Amino acid sequence: MNGQARKSPDEIRTLLEGPVTSIPTSFLANGDIDWDGVANIIEVGLKGGSSVILLTAGDSQFFCLSEDEIAELTRFTIDRTAGRALTVA
């Protein structure tokens, strides 16, 4: 867990108030995940005051990703958020 302590349910409830950034997965023309695009969405959300970065089956296009890509996207999102917001996947 990147050395970060787990949050209590009360801490999570507090973080779920306010802006939430739901990540729509960006793709390159060849169908690969656009990592720079995903990073940009995360940064824009954080700069806008979001306290939650959210990966959902709908916005994150999980239906067209392999299990390995879903795991890679989740790890990338956690690493990029770097404890600056709660990551929900």
Side-chain angles (χ1 to χ4, degrees):
M1 270 191 16
N2 289 348
Q4 298 171 12
R6 288 190 173 267
K7 299 199 179 320
S8 72
D10 286 337
E11 289 172 313
I12 292 170
R13 272 191 282 285
T14 299
L15 289 171
L16 290 175
E17 295 177 4
V20 172
T21 300
S22 185
I23 303 294
T25 305
S26 303
F27 294 96
L28 300 171
N30 67 1
D32 290 344
I33 294 173
D34 178 1
W35 298 108
D36 290 337
V38 173
N40 186 55
I41 294 165
I42 292 168
E43 294 305 320
V44 167
L46 293 172
K47 287 178 185 169
S50 182
S51 61
V52 178
I53 302 298
L54 180 67
L55 291 170
T56 67
D59 280 356
S60 299
Q61 304 298 309
F62 285 173
F63 67 89
C64 65
L65 298 176
S66 69
E67 287 184 15
D68 288 341
E69 289 172 320
I70 291 168
E72 189 176 11
L73 177 60
T74 301
R75 174 55 45 206
F76 178 86
T77 301
I78 291 167
D79 290 345
R80 186 65 189 214
T81 303
R84 298 177 288 166
L86 176 67
T87 301
V88 178

